Amino acid sequence: MFIITHNTHMNAVSFKSVMEEVIISYYHSLSGNNIFQQDGARYYTASSVLSLLEGQGVEVMEWPPQFPNLNLIETVWTMLDKIIDKQMKDTHFYQDLERVVQEE
């Protein structure tokens, strides 16, 4: 898991940095034929990000515009949100959030 600090504004530049720092090496460490899946968020589809992925040999799944989000990770996020809400009802500190997410 890679945790982005709470004061990070995610945009194409910051997302590209995460891609370079974490995701590309992880993608290449996997065996088999892999396809990187992401939805159509603007910073995911920025030309600088797509160029980086192409240059690094990362195959990206095509995601049609206006396509409903059928990404299975959304179910995991929903489950995690419920757990976080339950465990953090009495606290609102970023460090507690990070701990809960890592534990789950």
Side-chain angles (χ1 to χ4, degrees):
M1 177 183 336
F2 182 77
I3 296 177
I4 299 168
T5 58
H6 71 283
N7 58 352
T8 300
H9 174 71
M10 189 56 70
N11 57 27
V13 172
S14 54
F15 184 67
K16 186 177 171 190
S17 175
V18 171
M19 296 298 294
E20 292 170 326
E21 191 174 336
V22 180
I23 297 174
I24 292 172
S25 61
Y26 177 73
Y27 175 89
H28 288 302
S29 75
L30 301 171
S31 60
N33 238 356
N34 301 297
I35 299 174
F36 183 69
Q37 181 181 353
Q38 58 187 2
D39 62 23
R42 283 186 183 212
Y43 51 85
Y44 294 169
T45 58
S47 60
S48 62
V49 171
L50 295 178
S51 293
L52 170 70
L53 293 173
E54 183 179 344
Q56 293 294 319
V58 175
E59 184 177 353
V60 178
M61 177 183 284
E62 297 215 17
W63 201 264
Q66 307 302 318
F67 195 73
N69 195 347
L70 301 177
N71 188 340
L72 296 177
I73 196 68
E74 296 303 325
T75 303
V76 174
W77 294 139
T78 299
M79 292 166 48
L80 186 58
D81 278 343
K82 289 177 183 177
I83 291 167
I84 290 168
D85 286 346
K86 188 183 294 182
Q87 291 191 27
M88 294 194 60
K89 62 184 169 193
D90 298 325
T91 182
H92 299 288
F93 293 106
Y94 181 77
Q95 293 81 5
D96 293 334
L97 173 61
E98 186 174 331
R99 179 188 48 76
V100 168
V101 169
Q102 287 185 354
E103 286 173 0
E104 290 306 318

XYZ file of all heavy atoms in Angstrom:
854
model
N 0.851 -1.169 0.000
C 0.000 0.000 0.000
C 0.896 1.231 0.000
O 1.903 1.278 0.688
C -0.902 0.007 1.226
C -1.732 1.243 1.276
S -2.805 1.475 2.712
C -3.107 -0.105 3.343
N 0.510 2.209 -0.775
C 1.220 3.477 -0.835
C 0.261 4.564 -0.367
O -0.789 4.757 -0.952
C 1.690 3.759 -2.266
C 2.480 5.023 -2.395
C 3.788 5.066 -1.980
C 1.904 6.160 -2.925
C 4.533 6.231 -2.096
C 2.638 7.330 -3.051
C 3.960 7.361 -2.636
N 0.619 5.236 0.714
C -0.252 6.262 1.271
C 0.243 7.632 0.839
O 1.415 7.972 1.025
C -0.308 6.162 2.802
C -0.946 4.818 3.182
C -1.082 7.328 3.397
C -0.998 4.543 4.648
N -0.645 8.394 0.267
C -0.345 9.749 -0.174
C -0.681 10.687 0.974
O -1.751 10.591 1.562
C -1.160 10.096 -1.436
C -0.773 9.131 -2.559
C -0.955 11.538 -1.847
C -1.683 9.156 -3.745
N 0.234 11.578 1.305
C 0.012 12.461 2.440
C -1.269 13.259 2.272
O -1.677 13.589 1.153
C 1.194 13.416 2.658
O 1.393 14.183 1.482
C 2.459 12.639 2.987
N -1.889 13.574 3.390
C -3.206 14.200 3.375
C -3.227 15.589 2.758
O -4.262 16.059 2.353
C -3.790 14.233 4.787
C -3.122 15.204 5.706
N -1.912 14.948 6.284
C -3.497 16.420 6.129
C -1.564 15.975 7.033
N -2.506 16.879 6.967
N -2.104 16.249 2.656
C -2.095 17.595 2.079
C -1.703 17.599 0.600
O -1.463 18.652 0.034
C -1.181 18.525 2.882
C 0.245 18.008 2.938
O 0.533 16.894 2.507
N 1.130 18.808 3.487
N -1.670 16.441 -0.018
C -1.318 16.340 -1.432
C -2.532 16.638 -2.300
O -3.596 16.042 -2.116
C -0.806 14.928 -1.771
O 0.338 14.662 -0.982
C -0.450 14.812 -3.249
N -2.365 17.573 -3.218
C -3.416 17.836 -4.210
C -3.127 16.930 -5.397
O -2.099 17.060 -6.045
C -3.401 19.303 -4.635
C -4.350 19.595 -5.746
N -5.724 19.595 -5.568
C -4.136 19.856 -7.051
C -6.299 19.858 -6.730
N -5.361 20.017 -7.631
N -4.014 15.981 -5.653
C -3.774 15.039 -6.732
C -4.114 15.685 -8.061
O -5.212 16.191 -8.267
C -4.598 13.769 -6.516
C -4.243 12.654 -7.473
S -2.497 12.151 -7.481
C -2.335 11.365 -5.908
N -3.137 15.680 -8.944
C -3.290 16.165 -10.303
C -2.374 15.315 -11.178
O -1.774 14.352 -10.689
C -2.973 17.665 -10.403
C -1.575 17.997 -9.909
O -0.663 17.164 -9.951
N -1.383 19.211 -9.433
N -2.245 15.645 -12.433
C -1.434 14.828 -13.342
C 0.019 14.751 -12.880
O 0.643 13.689 -12.943
C -1.519 15.377 -14.765
N 0.565 15.854 -12.385
C 1.972 15.868 -11.957
C 2.173 14.960 -10.746
O 3.088 14.131 -10.716
C 2.434 17.314 -11.645
C 3.810 17.322 -11.025
C 2.399 18.165 -12.909
N 1.308 15.090 -9.735
C 1.464 14.261 -8.537
C 1.145 12.789 -8.835
O 1.810 11.888 -8.325
C 0.613 14.788 -7.383
O -0.724 14.919 -7.750
N 0.169 12.533 -9.693
C -0.145 11.155 -10.045
C 1.009 10.530 -10.828
O 1.370 9.375 -10.593
C -1.447 11.077 -10.849
C -1.862 9.665 -11.160
C -2.260 8.814 -10.143
C -1.841 9.194 -12.455
C -2.636 7.504 -10.416
C -2.222 7.890 -12.736
C -2.611 7.052 -11.714
N 1.596 11.284 -11.727
C 2.739 10.781 -12.495
C 3.889 10.430 -11.551
O 4.558 9.417 -11.731
C 3.181 11.835 -13.519
C 4.259 11.360 -14.451
C 4.582 12.423 -15.480
C 5.802 12.036 -16.276
N 6.278 13.124 -17.116
N 4.087 11.226 -10.535
C 5.119 10.957 -9.550
C 4.862 9.629 -8.830
O 5.777 8.827 -8.632
C 5.190 12.108 -8.541
O 6.101 11.825 -7.526
N 3.607 9.381 -8.448
C 3.249 8.115 -7.805
C 3.482 6.961 -8.772
O 3.999 5.902 -8.389
C 1.785 8.126 -7.312
C 1.337 6.744 -6.844
C 1.604 9.157 -6.209
N 3.130 7.163 -10.025
C 3.343 6.125 -11.029
C 4.835 5.773 -11.117
O 5.196 4.601 -11.127
C 2.840 6.590 -12.406
C 1.353 6.838 -12.493
S 0.352 5.381 -12.190
C 0.774 4.379 -13.573
N 5.671 6.811 -11.182
C 7.114 6.587 -11.298
C 7.691 5.947 -10.044
O 8.557 5.089 -10.115
C 7.827 7.916 -11.581
C 7.514 8.473 -12.939
C 8.015 9.888 -13.146
O 8.028 10.687 -12.184
O 8.397 10.191 -14.292
N 7.202 6.371 -8.899
C 7.758 5.928 -7.624
C 7.309 4.527 -7.221
O 8.081 3.789 -6.614
C 7.350 6.927 -6.534
C 8.054 6.756 -5.224
C 7.715 7.867 -4.244
O 7.324 8.968 -4.669
O 7.825 7.611 -3.047
N 6.088 4.169 -7.568
C 5.521 2.931 -7.026
C 4.952 1.994 -8.090
O 5.320 0.826 -8.166
C 4.401 3.261 -5.999
C 3.793 2.003 -5.424
C 4.917 4.160 -4.911
N 4.042 2.490 -8.867
C 3.184 1.612 -9.665
C 3.916 0.938 -10.821
O 3.724 -0.256 -11.063
C 1.934 2.381 -10.152
C 1.124 2.801 -8.923
C 1.099 1.536 -11.100
C -0.054 3.690 -9.207
N 4.761 1.654 -11.525
C 5.424 1.054 -12.684
C 6.309 -0.113 -12.280
O 6.268 -1.179 -12.893
C 6.204 2.122 -13.482
C 5.201 3.081 -14.143
C 7.107 1.471 -14.522
C 5.818 4.277 -14.806
N 7.101 0.050 -11.223
C 7.964 -1.060 -10.792
C 7.128 -2.240 -10.300
O 7.466 -3.394 -10.554
C 8.964 -0.602 -9.732
O 8.291 -0.134 -8.592
N 6.022 -1.945 -9.606
C 5.144 -3.028 -9.158
C 4.545 -3.757 -10.363
O 4.526 -4.986 -10.406
C 4.033 -2.489 -8.254
C 3.064 -3.560 -7.842
C 3.428 -4.527 -6.902
C 1.803 -3.640 -8.414
C 2.548 -5.537 -6.539
C 0.920 -4.645 -8.052
C 1.297 -5.590 -7.118
O 0.427 -6.592 -6.775
N 4.071 -3.014 -11.335
C 3.493 -3.599 -12.551
C 4.492 -4.563 -13.205
O 4.145 -5.677 -13.573
C 3.101 -2.481 -13.522
C 2.598 -2.955 -14.862
C 1.253 -3.221 -15.069
C 3.466 -3.116 -15.937
C 0.784 -3.647 -16.305
C 3.008 -3.537 -17.176
C 1.672 -3.806 -17.354
O 1.223 -4.230 -18.580
N 5.746 -4.125 -13.318
C 6.764 -4.955 -13.969
C 7.202 -6.141 -13.105
O 7.774 -7.096 -13.627
C 7.967 -4.105 -14.378
C 7.669 -3.204 -15.536
N 7.240 -3.664 -16.761
C 7.739 -1.864 -15.654
C 7.049 -2.646 -17.589
N 7.335 -1.538 -16.937
N 6.927 -6.096 -11.803
C 7.291 -7.218 -10.935
C 6.295 -8.370 -11.036
O 6.587 -9.480 -10.600
C 7.386 -6.757 -9.472
O 6.093 -6.550 -8.927
N 5.128 -8.111 -11.616
C 4.099 -9.136 -11.743
C 4.434 -10.082 -12.882
O 5.014 -9.679 -13.891
C 2.738 -8.488 -11.995
C 2.245 -7.526 -10.925
C 0.999 -6.791 -11.416
C 1.978 -8.249 -9.620
N 4.045 -11.323 -12.726
C 4.270 -12.270 -13.814
C 3.019 -12.343 -14.686
O 1.931 -11.970 -14.263
C 4.605 -13.655 -13.243
O 3.541 -14.117 -12.444
N 3.204 -12.790 -15.889
C 2.073 -12.968 -16.789
C 1.803 -11.744 -17.643
O 2.567 -10.794 -17.685
N 0.681 -11.798 -18.341
C 0.229 -10.714 -19.206
C -0.673 -9.811 -18.387
O -1.761 -10.202 -18.022
C -0.570 -11.304 -20.376
C -0.001 -10.941 -21.702
O 0.959 -10.184 -21.781
N -0.590 -11.476 -22.747
N -0.244 -8.604 -18.108
C -1.004 -7.722 -17.229
C -1.511 -6.499 -17.971
O -0.868 -6.022 -18.905
C -0.125 -7.279 -16.056
C 0.357 -8.462 -15.267
O -0.439 -9.176 -14.689
N 1.662 -8.699 -15.277
N -2.652 -6.023 -17.515
C -3.223 -4.795 -18.052
C -3.527 -3.902 -16.861
O -4.182 -4.316 -15.896
C -4.519 -5.065 -18.852
C -4.218 -5.977 -20.037
C -5.141 -3.750 -19.326
C -5.449 -6.412 -20.807
N -3.048 -2.669 -16.927
C -3.267 -1.704 -15.858
C -4.642 -1.095 -16.037
O -4.983 -0.591 -17.095
C -2.175 -0.628 -15.922
C -2.258 0.381 -14.825
C -1.983 0.034 -13.522
C -2.607 1.687 -15.103
C -2.053 0.962 -12.495
C -2.677 2.638 -14.092
C -2.403 2.264 -12.787
N -5.462 -1.161 -14.991
C -6.828 -0.640 -15.061
C -6.947 0.623 -14.229
O -6.523 0.669 -13.084
C -7.823 -1.671 -14.542
C -9.250 -1.192 -14.602
C -10.227 -2.219 -14.049
O -9.863 -3.337 -13.730
N -11.483 -1.836 -13.951
N -7.511 1.630 -14.830
C -7.844 2.876 -14.133
C -9.072 3.450 -14.813
O -9.360 3.119 -15.950
C -6.670 3.850 -14.182
C -6.219 4.197 -15.586
C -4.951 5.022 -15.593
O -4.385 5.315 -14.565
N -4.498 5.411 -16.750
N -9.793 4.290 -14.104
C -10.977 4.860 -14.724
C -10.585 6.115 -15.508
O -9.420 6.345 -15.772
C -12.084 5.127 -13.702
C -11.674 6.130 -12.632
O -10.763 6.938 -12.873
O -12.283 6.106 -11.550
N -11.540 6.908 -15.882
C -11.283 8.038 -16.761
C -11.004 9.356 -16.050
O -11.213 10.414 -16.645
N -10.551 9.306 -14.798
C -10.240 10.549 -14.092
C -9.255 11.379 -14.917
O -8.360 10.831 -15.563
C -9.657 10.254 -12.717
N -9.408 12.687 -14.892
C -8.594 13.554 -15.756
C -7.104 13.353 -15.574
O -6.351 13.311 -16.541
C -8.940 15.017 -15.508
C -10.229 15.413 -16.150
C -10.440 16.895 -15.993
N -11.720 17.214 -16.568
C -11.981 18.350 -17.142
N -11.072 19.278 -17.193
N -13.158 18.566 -17.652
N -6.657 13.266 -14.326
C -5.205 13.139 -14.149
C -4.703 11.748 -14.519
O -3.543 11.569 -14.798
C -4.745 13.555 -12.743
C -5.450 12.934 -11.583
C -5.062 11.699 -11.084
C -6.486 13.599 -10.951
C -5.694 11.138 -9.990
C -7.118 13.049 -9.846
C -6.719 11.816 -9.377
O -7.341 11.274 -8.291
N -5.574 10.743 -14.569
C -5.165 9.426 -15.058
C -4.934 9.454 -16.562
O -4.102 8.741 -17.083
C -6.245 8.373 -14.795
C -6.529 8.028 -13.367
C -7.641 7.268 -13.056
C -5.716 8.435 -12.322
C -7.937 6.919 -11.752
C -6.012 8.095 -11.014
C -7.117 7.346 -10.740
O -7.407 6.992 -9.458
N -5.746 10.244 -17.252
C -5.714 10.230 -18.715
C -4.923 11.396 -19.308
O -4.954 11.594 -20.518
C -7.151 10.252 -19.272
O -7.823 11.421 -18.789
C -7.923 9.009 -18.836
N -4.227 12.136 -18.469
C -3.403 13.241 -18.969
C -2.358 12.676 -19.931
O -1.830 11.581 -19.725
C -2.729 13.963 -17.808
N -2.055 13.422 -20.965
C -1.104 12.926 -21.971
C 0.257 12.618 -21.354
O 0.912 11.654 -21.759
C -0.972 13.919 -23.127
O -0.506 15.162 -22.665
N 0.692 13.396 -20.365
C 1.997 13.124 -19.740
C 1.992 11.783 -19.005
O 2.976 11.043 -19.030
C 2.378 14.252 -18.774
O 1.436 14.354 -17.726
N 0.876 11.444 -18.373
C 0.766 10.165 -17.661
C 0.698 9.019 -18.663
O 1.413 8.018 -18.527
C -0.474 10.155 -16.731
C -0.714 8.768 -16.155
C -0.311 11.182 -15.623
N -0.131 9.158 -19.686
C -0.259 8.096 -20.684
C 1.047 7.886 -21.448
O 1.417 6.749 -21.748
C -1.416 8.396 -21.634
C -2.804 8.399 -20.978
C -3.878 8.755 -21.994
C -3.110 7.062 -20.316
N 1.760 8.957 -21.723
C 3.071 8.841 -22.387
C 4.064 8.095 -21.510
O 4.833 7.261 -21.991
C 3.629 10.220 -22.732
O 2.852 10.841 -23.703
N 4.058 8.415 -20.224
C 4.937 7.716 -19.284
C 4.639 6.226 -19.279
O 5.555 5.395 -19.395
C 4.772 8.287 -17.872
C 5.443 7.497 -16.754
C 6.963 7.614 -16.856
C 4.947 7.947 -15.398
N 3.373 5.874 -19.157
C 2.989 4.468 -19.122
C 3.377 3.752 -20.409
O 3.923 2.649 -20.374
C 1.487 4.342 -18.860
C 1.020 4.802 -17.487
C -0.498 4.793 -17.404
C 1.625 3.973 -16.382
N 3.110 4.384 -21.527
C 3.472 3.784 -22.816
C 4.982 3.600 -22.919
O 5.460 2.547 -23.324
C 2.974 4.662 -23.965
C 3.258 4.062 -25.328
C 2.731 4.923 -26.464
O 1.894 5.816 -26.218
O 3.172 4.698 -27.605
N 5.730 4.627 -22.522
C 7.188 4.559 -22.575
C 7.774 3.488 -21.665
O 8.861 2.970 -21.933
N 7.059 3.158 -20.611
C 7.522 2.136 -19.674
C 6.940 0.752 -19.984
O 7.149 -0.191 -19.235
C 7.149 2.539 -18.244
C 7.877 3.754 -17.748
C 9.367 3.486 -17.607
O 9.794 2.438 -17.149
N 10.167 4.452 -18.020
N 6.210 0.657 -21.092
C 5.663 -0.635 -21.512
C 4.507 -1.129 -20.671
O 4.254 -2.326 -20.581
N 3.777 -0.199 -20.058
C 2.612 -0.565 -19.245
C 1.378 -0.531 -20.131
O 1.029 0.512 -20.684
C 2.441 0.409 -18.049
C 1.166 0.092 -17.282
C 3.661 0.361 -17.134
N 0.744 -1.691 -20.281
C -0.476 -1.755 -21.084
C -1.641 -1.253 -20.241
O -1.863 -1.712 -19.124
C -0.747 -3.176 -21.553
C -1.939 -3.276 -22.466
C -2.175 -4.686 -22.999
O -1.349 -5.572 -22.772
O -3.230 -4.873 -23.638
N -2.391 -0.295 -20.781
C -3.502 0.317 -20.055
C -4.820 -0.123 -20.675
O -4.992 -0.072 -21.896
C -3.396 1.867 -20.086
C -4.574 2.507 -19.368
C -2.074 2.323 -19.475
N -5.745 -0.550 -19.832
C -7.069 -0.953 -20.303
C -7.797 0.268 -20.861
O -7.773 1.335 -20.253
C -7.879 -1.537 -19.143
C -9.298 -1.926 -19.520
S -10.256 -2.521 -18.102
C -9.570 -4.142 -17.921
N -8.440 0.098 -21.978
C -9.230 1.191 -22.541
C -10.488 1.366 -21.714
O -11.144 0.390 -21.338
C -9.571 0.881 -24.003
C -8.324 0.795 -24.848
C -8.531 1.334 -26.250
O -9.511 2.059 -26.487
O -7.685 1.020 -27.077
N -10.807 2.617 -21.426
C -11.979 2.925 -20.598
C -12.820 3.926 -21.366
O -12.466 5.090 -21.453
C -11.512 3.510 -19.264
C -12.535 3.397 -18.183
C -13.427 4.361 -17.814
C -12.768 2.299 -17.322
N -14.207 3.916 -16.781
C -13.817 2.646 -16.454
C -12.192 1.038 -17.205
C -14.297 1.786 -15.480
C -12.680 0.188 -16.236
C -13.718 0.567 -15.389
N -13.949 3.496 -21.948
C -14.748 4.394 -22.777
C -15.271 5.605 -21.989
O -15.585 5.483 -20.809
C -15.929 3.523 -23.225
C -15.537 2.126 -22.930
C -14.531 2.171 -21.822
N -15.367 6.761 -22.646
C -15.931 7.934 -21.967
C -17.371 7.667 -21.539
O -18.100 6.917 -22.193
C -15.881 9.033 -23.025
C -15.241 8.463 -24.223
C -15.009 7.007 -24.019
N -17.773 8.267 -20.441
C -19.133 8.150 -19.915
C -19.511 6.710 -19.581
O -20.682 6.369 -19.550
C -20.162 8.737 -20.902
C -19.874 10.144 -21.352
C -19.777 11.118 -20.180
O -20.552 11.057 -19.258
N -18.796 12.004 -20.220
N -18.510 5.867 -19.347
C -18.756 4.464 -19.027
C -18.996 4.331 -17.526
O -18.276 4.930 -16.742
C -17.541 3.629 -19.449
C -17.788 2.153 -19.503
C -18.552 1.611 -20.512
C -17.249 1.317 -18.540
C -18.770 0.245 -20.581
C -17.468 -0.052 -18.597
C -18.225 -0.590 -19.620
N -20.005 3.588 -17.097
C -20.218 3.432 -15.663
C -19.011 2.762 -15.024
O -18.347 1.945 -15.648
C -21.459 2.537 -15.575
C -21.583 1.901 -16.901
C -20.923 2.800 -17.905
N -18.731 3.109 -13.793
C -17.569 2.559 -13.132
C -17.864 1.133 -12.681
O -18.548 0.910 -11.697
C -17.164 3.427 -11.949
C -15.777 3.092 -11.472
O -15.210 2.069 -11.856
N -15.227 3.940 -10.651
N -17.320 0.188 -13.415
C -17.502 -1.223 -13.104
C -16.247 -1.808 -12.462
O -16.111 -3.019 -12.353
C -17.860 -2.004 -14.373
C -19.120 -1.537 -15.091
C -19.336 -2.337 -16.367
C -20.326 -1.647 -14.186
N -15.355 -0.943 -12.040
C -14.114 -1.365 -11.430
C -14.431 -2.052 -10.102
O -15.065 -1.481 -9.227
C -13.241 -0.130 -11.211
C -11.848 -0.478 -10.767
O -11.596 -1.568 -10.278
N -10.959 0.466 -10.928
N -13.956 -3.262 -9.917
C -14.241 -4.029 -8.711
C -13.676 -3.392 -7.446
O -14.179 -3.619 -6.353
C -13.706 -5.452 -8.862
C -14.362 -6.284 -9.954
C -13.698 -7.647 -10.053
C -15.844 -6.445 -9.689
N -12.639 -2.573 -7.578
C -12.051 -1.949 -6.402
C -13.048 -1.024 -5.716
O -12.936 -0.754 -4.521
C -10.732 -1.217 -6.758
C -9.905 -0.912 -5.500
C -11.003 0.057 -7.529
C -9.337 -2.104 -4.806
N -14.041 -0.532 -6.448
C -15.047 0.342 -5.854
C -15.795 -0.363 -4.724
O -16.157 0.258 -3.728
C -16.020 0.859 -6.915
C -15.385 1.738 -7.963
C -14.674 2.962 -7.399
O -15.150 3.533 -6.388
O -13.644 3.352 -7.959
N -16.013 -1.661 -4.858
C -16.652 -2.434 -3.793
C -15.760 -2.465 -2.556
O -16.241 -2.319 -1.432
C -16.935 -3.874 -4.277
O -17.741 -3.807 -5.450
C -17.640 -4.688 -3.216
N -14.465 -2.622 -2.769
C -13.519 -2.618 -1.645
C -13.518 -1.259 -0.962
O -13.529 -1.173 0.273
C -12.095 -2.990 -2.126
C -11.088 -2.854 -1.002
C -12.087 -4.400 -2.698
N -13.517 -0.161 -1.752
C -13.534 1.182 -1.154
C -14.782 1.386 -0.307
O -14.726 1.979 0.769
C -13.471 2.265 -2.225
C -12.195 2.324 -3.011
C -12.093 2.532 -4.354
C -10.853 2.191 -2.534
N -10.766 2.522 -4.735
C -9.989 2.315 -3.634
C -10.292 1.953 -1.278
C -8.600 2.224 -3.522
C -8.901 1.860 -1.166
C -8.087 1.998 -2.273
N -15.925 0.888 -0.772
C -17.174 1.021 -0.023
C -17.081 0.276 1.307
O -17.465 0.804 2.358
C -18.361 0.490 -0.850
O -18.463 1.259 -2.051
C -19.662 0.574 -0.081
N -16.537 -0.919 1.271
C -16.372 -1.698 2.500
C -15.411 -0.996 3.453
O -15.665 -0.911 4.665
C -15.876 -3.107 2.161
C -16.899 -3.953 1.425
S -16.255 -5.467 0.656
C -15.295 -6.202 1.926
N -14.316 -0.493 2.927
C -13.325 0.196 3.746
C -13.907 1.472 4.350
O -13.667 1.778 5.525
C -12.076 0.507 2.917
C -10.887 1.091 3.663
C -10.426 0.180 4.792
C -9.748 1.354 2.687
N -14.694 2.208 3.578
C -15.357 3.419 4.094
C -16.223 3.102 5.309
O -16.219 3.840 6.298
C -16.233 4.070 3.016
C -15.456 4.935 2.057
O -14.309 5.302 2.375
O -16.014 5.258 0.998
N -16.964 2.019 5.248
C -17.834 1.637 6.365
C -17.011 1.311 7.608
O -17.370 1.703 8.725
C -18.717 0.459 5.971
C -19.796 0.827 4.976
C -20.601 -0.376 4.564
C -21.619 0.045 3.501
N -22.384 -1.092 3.000
N -15.911 0.604 7.417
C -15.041 0.261 8.540
C -14.426 1.514 9.145
O -14.392 1.680 10.364
C -13.944 -0.729 8.087
C -14.575 -2.073 7.755
C -12.862 -0.869 9.149
C -13.668 -3.025 7.011
N -13.957 2.409 8.288
C -13.351 3.657 8.757
C -14.366 4.480 9.536
O -14.066 4.981 10.617
C -12.780 4.465 7.574
C -11.543 3.762 7.015
C -12.442 5.893 7.995
C -11.073 4.312 5.687
N -15.569 4.606 9.000
C -16.612 5.365 9.698
C -16.877 4.797 11.090
O -17.021 5.542 12.058
C -17.917 5.365 8.895
C -17.859 6.272 7.681
O -16.934 7.102 7.599
O -18.735 6.134 6.814
N -16.921 3.480 11.179
C -17.206 2.836 12.459
C -16.044 3.027 13.445
O -16.264 3.343 14.611
C -17.454 1.344 12.238
C -17.944 0.610 13.480
C -18.101 -0.878 13.239
C -19.202 -1.157 12.248
N -19.433 -2.586 12.023
N -14.813 2.856 12.972
C -13.658 2.908 13.864
C -13.209 4.329 14.190
O -12.490 4.541 15.158
C -12.492 2.122 13.279
C -12.753 0.638 13.260
C -11.517 -0.153 12.922
O -10.403 0.281 13.163
N -11.715 -1.339 12.363
N -13.619 5.288 13.397
C -13.116 6.652 13.591
C -14.213 7.632 13.990
O -14.038 8.831 13.847
C -12.408 7.130 12.327
C -11.143 6.342 12.045
S -10.099 7.118 10.847
C -9.737 8.673 11.597
N -15.299 7.136 14.519
C -16.398 8.042 14.856
C -16.020 9.045 15.945
O -16.608 10.114 16.030
C -17.647 7.265 15.238
C -17.503 6.389 16.448
C -18.765 5.596 16.690
C -18.485 4.532 17.751
N -19.522 3.570 17.829
N -15.009 8.719 16.766
C -14.617 9.614 17.853
C -13.313 10.367 17.592
O -12.832 11.081 18.465
C -14.480 8.818 19.160
C -15.801 8.191 19.573
O -16.852 8.814 19.331
O -15.773 7.068 20.099
N -12.720 10.174 16.448
C -11.448 10.836 16.145
C -11.412 11.291 14.694
O -12.082 10.704 13.853
C -10.248 9.917 16.449
O -9.051 10.622 16.190
C -10.274 8.662 15.597
N -10.632 12.301 14.433
C -10.515 12.809 13.064
C -9.064 13.137 12.735
O -8.782 14.072 11.991
C -11.395 14.050 12.872
C -12.842 13.769 13.089
N -13.598 13.049 12.206
C -13.665 14.064 14.114
C -14.823 12.934 12.665
N -14.887 13.540 13.823
N -8.143 12.383 13.295
C -6.725 12.624 13.061
C -6.234 11.774 11.900
O -6.555 10.585 11.800
C -5.900 12.321 14.318
C -6.187 13.269 15.446
C -6.929 12.854 16.542
C -5.739 14.573 15.402
C -7.202 13.722 17.579
C -6.014 15.452 16.429
C -6.742 15.031 17.517
N -5.420 12.409 11.057
C -4.893 11.720 9.879
C -4.113 10.467 10.269
O -4.224 9.444 9.620
C -4.014 12.683 9.073
C -3.459 12.052 7.828
C -4.263 11.889 6.706
C -2.152 11.607 7.774
C -3.772 11.302 5.563
C -1.647 11.011 6.639
C -2.461 10.860 5.541
O -1.981 10.273 4.409
N -3.334 10.542 11.343
C -2.535 9.394 11.776
C -3.432 8.207 12.140
O -3.084 7.056 11.872
C -1.643 9.761 12.979
C -0.562 10.748 12.649
C -1.065 12.203 12.638
O -2.218 12.492 12.963
N -0.199 13.111 12.226
N -4.575 8.492 12.745
C -5.517 7.418 13.072
C -6.109 6.810 11.807
O -6.271 5.595 11.710
C -6.641 7.936 13.967
C -6.151 8.338 15.351
O -5.123 7.788 15.800
O -6.790 9.203 15.971
N -6.414 7.644 10.861
C -6.935 7.163 9.581
C -5.911 6.245 8.908
O -6.241 5.160 8.444
C -7.281 8.331 8.655
C -7.676 7.969 7.231
C -8.932 7.099 7.209
C -7.884 9.234 6.416
N -4.669 6.673 8.866
C -3.616 5.864 8.247
C -3.491 4.506 8.948
O -3.392 3.469 8.301
C -2.288 6.617 8.315
C -1.167 5.929 7.579
C 0.097 6.757 7.543
O 0.017 8.011 7.581
O 1.180 6.162 7.474
N -3.539 4.501 10.267
C -3.440 3.265 11.037
C -4.605 2.324 10.716
O -4.409 1.142 10.445
C -3.411 3.573 12.540
C -3.342 2.325 13.421
C -3.503 2.657 14.896
N -4.613 3.539 15.215
C -5.905 3.164 15.236
N -6.235 1.923 14.938
N -6.850 4.029 15.538
N -5.817 2.868 10.713
C -7.004 2.039 10.436
C -6.931 1.440 9.034
O -7.188 0.249 8.844
C -8.301 2.865 10.618
C -9.516 2.117 10.064
C -8.510 3.219 12.078
N -6.558 2.236 8.074
C -6.477 1.741 6.689
C -5.417 0.642 6.574
O -5.649 -0.383 5.950
C -6.183 2.905 5.712
C -5.842 2.376 4.335
C -7.379 3.839 5.644
N -4.272 0.851 7.184
C -3.213 -0.182 7.114
C -3.642 -1.460 7.817
O -3.336 -2.557 7.326
C -1.909 0.359 7.690
C -1.249 1.354 6.770
C 0.100 1.817 7.276
O 0.526 1.484 8.373
N 0.776 2.592 6.464
N -4.317 -1.338 8.945
C -4.773 -2.533 9.654
C -5.781 -3.319 8.829
O -5.746 -4.541 8.799
C -5.392 -2.141 10.994
C -4.380 -1.734 12.029
C -5.017 -1.187 13.305
O -6.277 -1.140 13.371
O -4.259 -0.831 14.213
N -6.686 -2.604 8.182
C -7.710 -3.291 7.387
C -7.126 -3.832 6.104
O -7.509 -4.814 5.588
C -8.889 -2.361 7.107
C -9.712 -2.068 8.337
C -10.208 -3.299 9.087
O -10.655 -4.267 8.444
O -10.149 -3.286 10.317
